[in-house]
Amino acid sequence: MQIISDIKKTSSLCQKWRDKGESISFVPTMGCLHAGHLSLIKKAQSLADHVVVSIFVNPLQFDNADDLLKYPVTLDEDTLKLADFNVDLVFTPKANAFYPDGENQVKQIDLGSITVLLEGAQRPGHFAGVATVVKHLFEIIRPNVAVFGEKDFQQLMVIKQLVETFPLDVEIIGMPTFREQDGLAMSSRNLRLSENERKKAPAIYQQLKSIKSAINASTNIDTADFVELERRACENLTAVGFVPDYVAIRETDTLSIPENHNNSLVILVAVKLGQIRLIDNIRV
Ligand code: PAF
C-alpha cells in the first residue's frame, strides 16, 4: 500500500495503471474510518483492479469553523486499517497544496436546487464545498468507479448530479448505511458523543422506523399526513433531548414533498444532540 500526499505523484501513479488497461475504484473519505467506510472499500475492491482511498478533511464543506477544528483526525489508525484491507493507494493531500491560493479563492461549483434544500438550507455552501472537492479528486485520480455511503443521502444525489453536469466519466455507486447493533448510523461524529448522548442516539433510527411503519400501514396518505408524521417525530425527539433541524418525508428521486405514496419515499432526519449534529435516513 502506498501513502502519497503529493498530487502529481498520485495522478501519475493512477495514469500508469490506466495506461496498462487496469481499472480504478475510489472511496473518498475525511478519515476517522469506521466499519461503514470499510464496507465501501470492500465494495470498491470488488469493482476494479486498484482501490484508491483519499483522506482529506475538506475545509470548504464546513460552514462552522468550530466543527472543522473539532473534526476527529486519526491518520495513523486509518492507514493501519487500510493496510489490512489491501488498499493500493491512500491519497492524503494537504489543504495548502489542494487549494494553493487559499480556500477563499476557490471557485466553487453550484449544482442548483438539490444543494439548497434540507442539508443545503441548514448548512449554506456545504454541498458546493463537497462538489468542488470531489470534482478535484476525480480529476486527479480519474477513477472508473467511486463508492459513497447512502447515509449522506443528499450528498449522494449531489455527486450524481456532479457527474451528469461535468464530463468526469465515473460511475457512482451508493451503498446502504452501516449501523451499530442498536441502530445508530455509523459516523465519525459518533466518537464525539458523551456516554449519555450515545445511549440516546439510537432514538433517531427508532423514529425513522416508526414513521416508515406508519406510512406503510396507511392506504390513503397525503401531504398533510406526512407533515403530521414529521411534526410528531420532531416532538418525540425533542422530548428526549434532541434539537431537530428537520425530519422530512420526501420523494426519493427529487427530494420534493410528496402528495401521496405512489412513488418511493425517503425519510431524512438531522438533529443536534448536545454539540454534535447527526443525520440519518431510511427508504420507504
Ligand atoms: O462524505 C464525506 O466524507 C465527504 O463529504 C467527502 C465525500 C469525502 C468529501 O469531502
Side-chain angles (χ1 to χ4, degrees):
M1 182 177 89
Q2 302 196 48
I3 304 171
I4 305 180
S5 55
D6 188 82
I7 293 176
K8 279 204 178 112
K9 281 188 190 154
T10 297
S11 152
S12 67
L13 176 58
C14 294
Q15 183 62 46
K16 208 172 84 190
W17 289 334
R18 270 193 307 277
D19 289 346
K20 287 196 276 177
E22 295 165 355
S23 56
I24 301 171
S25 58
F26 176 44
V27 182
T29 81
M30 298 208 295
C32 196
L33 303 179
H34 50 66
H37 292 112
L38 300 178
S39 78
L40 305 184
I41 293 166
K42 235 180 180 164
K43 178 69 181 174
Q45 267 162 342
S46 72
L47 295 170
D49 300 310
H50 298 280
V51 176
V52 180
V53 174
S54 63
I55 298 181
F56 179 57
V57 182
N58 171 36
L60 293 187
Q61 68 189 75
F62 286 81
D63 52 319
N64 173 329
D66 191 48
D67 196 24
L68 172 60
L69 216 61
K70 292 195 174 135
Y71 200 85
V73 177
T74 57
L75 193 57
D76 292 344
E77 290 96 315
D78 290 346
T79 47
L80 280 177
K81 285 180 190 161
L82 295 174
D84 271 352
F85 262 71
N86 286 329
V87 165
D88 298 85
L89 167 62
V90 187
F91 177 43
T92 56
K94 299 284 165 281
N96 55 1
F98 216 67
Y99 304 126
D101 299 326
E103 287 123 57
N104 296 337
Q105 299 307 313
V106 180
K107 185 166 172 356
Q108 297 201 38
I109 295 168
D110 180 0
L111 291 170
S113 58
I114 187 69
T115 65
V116 292
L117 325 155
L118 301 171
E119 276 303 278
Q122 296 294 327
R123 305 178 67 190
H126 169 67
F127 287 125
V130 170
T132 303
V133 75
V134 171
K135 177 169 180 278
H136 201 16
L137 287 164
F138 282 173
E139 285 165 343
I140 294 166
I141 292 157
R142 295 184 47 215
N144 303 80
V145 50
V147 187
F148 291 82
E150 282 182 359
K151 187 187 125 278
D152 295 292
F153 191 86
Q154 196 176 352
Q155 169 171 282
L156 182 56
M157 294 180 81
V158 168
I159 303 298
K160 286 182 177 164
Q161 168 103 45
L162 176 74
V163 301
E164 274 169 26
T165 309
F166 295 94
L168 293 162
D169 198 20
V170 46
E171 185 188 354
I172 304 301
I173 305 281
M175 288 294 288
T177 302
F178 227 69
R179 298 186 180 280
E180 304 286 356
Q181 284 206 331
D182 57 13
L184 176 64
M186 287 196 188
S187 162
S188 308
R189 293 176 197 273
N190 295 350
L191 279 185
R192 291 175 53 205
L193 295 171
S194 70
E195 203 179 316
N196 192 27
E197 288 164 350
R198 175 63 190 81
K199 277 190 199 139
K200 282 186 185 170
I204 301 167
Y205 186 51
Q206 283 154 18
Q207 284 302 316
L208 286 173
K209 281 196 303 185
S210 115
I211 301 177
K212 177 174 171 163
S213 309
I215 295 174
N216 283 335
S218 330
T219 41
N220 228 340
I221 192 159
D222 64 13
T223 307
D225 301 316
F226 292 131
V227 170
E228 177 55 18
L229 286 169
E230 293 168 353
R231 193 196 61 74
R232 249 189 282 151
C234 281
E235 200 173 85
N236 294 342
L237 287 164
T238 306
V240 289
F242 294 86
V243 179
D245 278 348
Y246 57 82
V247 174
I249 302 166
R250 295 298 169 102
E251 301 255 352
T252 306
D253 291 343
T254 55
L255 294 189
S256 53
I257 296 171
E259 285 173 13
N260 49 45
H261 189 190
N262 291 349
N263 296 326
S264 89
L265 302 176
V266 56
I267 311 159
L268 305 111
V269 58
V271 289
K272 287 193 202 76
L273 184 54
Q275 300 294 307
I276 312 304
R277 190 168 182 279
L278 299 170
I279 60 171
D280 198 355
N281 68 80
I282 192 174
R283 292 200 194 207
V284 186

